[in-house]
Amino acid sequence: MIFKRKFRVHWVDTDIAGVMHFTNYFRYFEACEEEFYRSLGMDLNFLKEEQGVLLPRVEASCQYRVACRFNDEIEVALSVKEVGPKTLTYEFQVLKKGEKAAEGLVKCIATTLDWKVIDLPKEFAQAVQSARNRTI
Amino acid sequence: MIFKRKFRVHWVDTDIAGVMHFTNYFRYFEACEEEFYRSLGMDLNFLKEEQGVLLPRVEASCQYRVACRFNDEIEVALSVKEVGPKTLTYEFQVLKKGEKAAEGLVKCIATTLDWKVIDLPKEFAQAVQSARNRTI
Amino acid sequence: MIFKRKFRVHWVDTDIAGVMHFTNYFRYFEACEEEFYRSLGMDLNFLKEEQGVLLPRVEASCQYRVACRFNDEIEVALSVKEVGPKTLTYEFQVLKKGEKAAEGLVKCIATTLDWKVIDLPKEFAQAVQSARNRTI
Amino acid sequence: MIFKRKFRVHWVDTDIAGVMHFTNYFRYFEACEEEFYRSLGMDLNFLKEEQGVLLPRVEASCQYRVACRFNDEIEVALSVKEVGPKTLTYEFQVLKKGEKAAEGLVKCIATTLDWKVIDLPKEFAQAVQSARNRTI
């Protein structure tokens, strides 16, 4: 399964080199992840407020291939790489006119609100896992 | 009293026009405000954690005169405009080689952690007030 | 005429107080302004690349009324306040479930790429002006 | 050689989970890299303006171990991993009270202003290389 969302590169995303600053790709990864949870009827706020669970990132990486520029319409594609008992790993691609502009990985771990590592909430993990197995 | 701190404009602060993005001046205003509290032996985290008080902004404004650029050393000057019973108002100047590059205002209001407006904590208000009266 | 666009508050927009950081309202103002130009068949990049014109901000302000939070759907409403010979002034409202969460103003000035103040490009100014006069 | 700079975590760096947002570590990596160039008497702006050279990032990664929080004083330690003919690779550690909070890697490539890959400017590469060989 690949979950895709379109975004538009904003003026504030750019830097003096005229392209999207490298840190902002991670912002779009996360925006896509948020939309992915919403598509499953869940959200990070629910996890936090109702279940007392946070999903801090333990790893984030990105390889940059083609610079994205102001006004570019980019498509961020999320795929679920792994649903561990305590961790979630996502892979991302940033597409610009069908071309791969960047790709990355983000790994999160489930913790309590005071940052003790725990198992992912079962229902949440199952929803992500079944999205992963879906063929689209 | 005027409280001053120097900052360096970072690459990430700039945009495609080659200058600091207008939103980032507010980030430096706040960084200066944080240092100001620290100079008084206080901090926003203490207010939040120990006293259950937040200082959300109710107003922020900036006038931009001279563009700040990557690597510029800027000096942010904070002055306390008003210490109300429930609000704090700061004025800021951004100086670049002695020239006024921007000036702004930020007004905060004291609230509980669930956002009910309250009086400023007395000790906190007094510390800010006495800094205001100090002549430097 | 009022031009409206919906946005979603992202995790990265929030701060330790659990609400959208005050600087990020200005990012959404600008995102709305960018969409406004696009709706007129123009964009800031065209101005810069084709006409050698920048629109740096000379003033920005915001009054905050109701905190916006993670996952909130907000609507940003832009209205053209003034189309001067050299400046453009926009007013913004941020609506959250129909309630006014914030309102602000942004004033830009036309300059050459080396920051000399000039008249707004005629066609651009006319497009903004006629959008202003349109009743929607 | 390890080049170190201290930074303070700002309110705006935090998110609703009460910790520094994962994207902001990359901002501090870059701030440290900028200071490193400055310590060598060089800067990215000089490269761009005088030599027509950009250093876009082709890779960035970070592993997060201990959350950094508002007001934390963090130390970012840069070490030069590799000076290739066309690329520069840096490793970073973020230390908090002597403990490793995060570590990462950033790889840049030299390009012309229109994004053609080129060799690193000789003098620049030599300065970074000799910093690398220095024992501190």
Side-chain angles (χ1 to χ4, degrees):
Chain A
M1 192 272 335
I2 289 177
F3 178 84
K4 291 179 178 175
R5 275 298 174 274
K6 286 182 178 160
F7 299 95
R8 185 70 75 164
V9 176
H10 298 295
W11 191 271
V12 71
D13 292 328
T14 62
D15 64 23
I16 189 180
V19 298
M20 180 146 80
H21 192 262
F22 79 101
T23 54
N24 291 325
Y25 292 75
F26 292 106
R27 292 173 74 111
Y28 287 107
F29 290 175
E30 191 173 61
C32 184
E33 185 189 337
E34 291 168 8
E35 294 288 340
F36 170 63
Y37 294 138
R38 196 168 294 122
S39 78
L40 301 177
M42 309 181 307
D43 74 69
L44 292 171
N45 209 35
F46 178 83
L47 270 192
K48 175 171 175 288
E49 298 301 323
E50 303 297 319
Q51 310 210 353
V53 176
L54 294 172
L55 279 185
R57 275 86 240 275
V58 288
E59 192 178 336
S61 65
C62 189
Q63 287 81 43
Y64 308 91
R65 295 164 182 271
V66 178
C68 294
R69 292 164 185 278
F70 175 60
N71 260 347
D72 279 351
E73 195 182 65
I74 56 173
E75 190 168 49
V76 181
L78 169 157
S79 59
V80 181
K81 194 185 175 197
E82 196 176 36
V83 182
K86 297 171 195 305
T87 61
L88 279 176
T89 310
Y90 296 108
E91 286 177 327
F92 294 94
Q93 292 198 351
V94 178
L95 302 164
K96 176 179 153 177
K97 295 179 185 165
E99 191 184 13
K100 197 193 290 181
E103 58 192 330
L105 179 149
V106 171
K107 185 176 181 179
C108 334
I109 196 163
T111 72
T112 59
L113 297 187
D114 53 351
W115 301 85
K116 294 200 177 73
V117 175
I118 52 171
D119 281 354
L120 287 164
K122 197 171 280 185
E123 204 183 346
F124 180 78
Q126 281 172 347
V128 175
Q129 183 65 62
S130 67
R132 187 191 176 211
N133 296 336
R134 221 175 297 149
T135 43
I136 303 183
Chain B
M1 190 272 336
I2 290 177
F3 178 84
K4 291 179 179 175
R5 275 299 174 273
K6 285 181 180 161
F7 298 96
R8 185 70 75 164
V9 176
H10 297 295
W11 190 272
V12 71
D13 293 327
T14 62
D15 64 24
I16 189 180
V19 299
M20 181 146 79
H21 191 263
F22 78 101
T23 55
N24 291 326
Y25 292 75
F26 292 107
R27 292 174 73 113
Y28 286 107
F29 289 175
E30 192 173 63
C32 184
E33 185 189 336
E34 292 168 7
E35 294 288 340
F36 170 62
Y37 295 137
R38 195 168 295 121
S39 78
L40 301 178
M42 307 181 309
D43 75 69
L44 292 171
N45 209 34
F46 178 83
L47 268 192
K48 176 171 175 288
E49 298 301 323
E50 303 296 320
Q51 310 210 352
V53 176
L54 295 171
L55 279 185
R57 276 86 241 274
V58 288
E59 192 180 334
S61 65
C62 189
Q63 286 82 42
Y64 307 91
R65 294 163 183 271
V66 178
C68 294
R69 292 165 185 279
F70 175 61
N71 260 347
D72 280 350
E73 195 182 64
I74 56 173
E75 190 168 47
V76 180
L78 170 156
S79 59
V80 181
K81 193 184 176 198
E82 196 177 35
V83 183
K86 296 172 195 307
T87 61
L88 278 175
T89 309
Y90 295 108
E91 285 178 327
F92 295 94
Q93 293 198 349
V94 177
L95 302 164
K96 176 179 152 176
K97 293 182 185 162
E99 191 184 14
K100 198 193 290 181
E103 58 192 330
L105 178 148
V106 171
K107 186 176 180 179
C108 334
I109 197 163
T111 73
T112 59
L113 296 187
D114 53 351
W115 301 86
K116 294 201 179 72
V117 175
I118 52 170
D119 281 354
L120 287 164
K122 197 171 280 185
E123 205 182 346
F124 181 76
Q126 281 171 348
V128 175
Q129 182 66 60
S130 66
R132 186 190 176 213
N133 296 337
R134 221 174 296 147
T135 43
I136 303 182
Chain C
M1 191 274 334
I2 289 178
F3 178 84
K4 290 179 179 175
R5 275 299 174 275
K6 286 183 179 160
F7 299 96
R8 185 71 75 163
V9 176
H10 297 296
W11 191 271
V12 70
D13 293 327
T14 62
D15 64 22
I16 189 181
V19 298
M20 180 147 78
H21 192 263
F22 78 102
T23 55
N24 291 325
Y25 292 75
F26 292 107
R27 293 173 73 111
Y28 287 108
F29 289 175
E30 192 173 60
C32 184
E33 185 189 336
E34 292 168 8
E35 294 288 339
F36 170 63
Y37 295 137
R38 196 168 294 123
S39 78
L40 300 177
M42 307 180 309
D43 75 68
L44 292 171
N45 210 35
F46 178 82
L47 268 191
K48 175 170 175 288
E49 299 300 323
E50 302 297 319
Q51 310 211 350
V53 176
L54 295 171
L55 280 185
R57 276 84 242 277
V58 289
E59 192 178 336
S61 65
C62 189
Q63 287 81 44
Y64 307 91
R65 295 164 182 272
V66 178
C68 294
R69 292 163 186 279
F70 175 61
N71 261 346
D72 280 350
E73 195 182 64
I74 55 173
E75 190 167 48
V76 180
L78 169 157
S79 58
V80 181
K81 195 186 176 198
E82 196 177 35
V83 183
K86 297 172 194 306
T87 62
L88 279 176
T89 309
Y90 296 107
E91 286 178 327
F92 294 94
Q93 293 198 351
V94 178
L95 302 164
K96 177 179 152 178
K97 294 180 185 165
E99 191 184 14
K100 197 192 291 180
E103 57 192 333
L105 179 147
V106 171
K107 185 176 180 179
C108 334
I109 196 162
T111 73
T112 59
L113 296 187
D114 53 351
W115 301 86
K116 293 199 179 73
V117 175
I118 50 171
D119 280 354
L120 288 164
K122 198 171 279 185
E123 204 183 348
F124 180 77
Q126 281 172 347
V128 175
Q129 183 65 61
S130 66
R132 186 189 176 213
N133 296 336
R134 220 175 297 150
T135 43
I136 304 183
Chain D
M1 189 271 337
I2 290 177
F3 178 84
K4 290 179 178 175
R5 275 298 174 273
K6 284 180 180 162
F7 299 96
R8 184 71 75 163
V9 177
H10 297 295
W11 191 271
V12 71
D13 293 327
T14 62
D15 64 23
I16 189 180
V19 299
M20 180 146 80
H21 192 264
F22 78 101
T23 55
N24 291 326
Y25 292 75
F26 292 106
R27 292 173 72 111
Y28 287 107
F29 290 175
E30 192 174 61
C32 184
E33 186 189 336
E34 292 168 7
E35 294 289 340
F36 170 63
Y37 295 137
R38 195 168 295 122
S39 78
L40 300 178
M42 307 181 309
D43 74 69
L44 292 172
N45 210 35
F46 178 82
L47 268 192
K48 176 171 174 290
E49 298 300 324
E50 303 296 320
Q51 311 211 351
V53 176
L54 295 172
L55 280 185
R57 276 86 242 275
V58 288
E59 191 179 336
S61 65
C62 188
Q63 286 82 42
Y64 307 90
R65 295 163 182 271
V66 178
C68 294
R69 292 163 186 281
F70 175 61
N71 260 347
D72 279 351
E73 196 183 63
I74 56 174
E75 190 167 48
V76 180
L78 171 157
S79 58
V80 181
K81 195 184 175 198
E82 196 178 34
V83 183
K86 296 172 195 305
T87 61
L88 279 175
T89 310
Y90 295 109
E91 286 178 326
F92 294 95
Q93 293 199 350
V94 178
L95 302 164
K96 178 179 152 177
K97 293 181 186 163
E99 191 184 13
K100 198 193 291 180
E103 58 192 331
L105 179 147
V106 172
K107 185 176 180 179
C108 334
I109 197 163
T111 73
T112 60
L113 296 187
D114 53 351
W115 301 86
K116 294 201 178 72
V117 175
I118 51 171
D119 280 355
L120 287 164
K122 198 171 278 186
E123 203 182 348
F124 180 77
Q126 280 171 348
V128 175
Q129 183 65 61
S130 67
R132 187 189 175 213
N133 296 336
R134 220 174 296 147
T135 42
I136 303 183

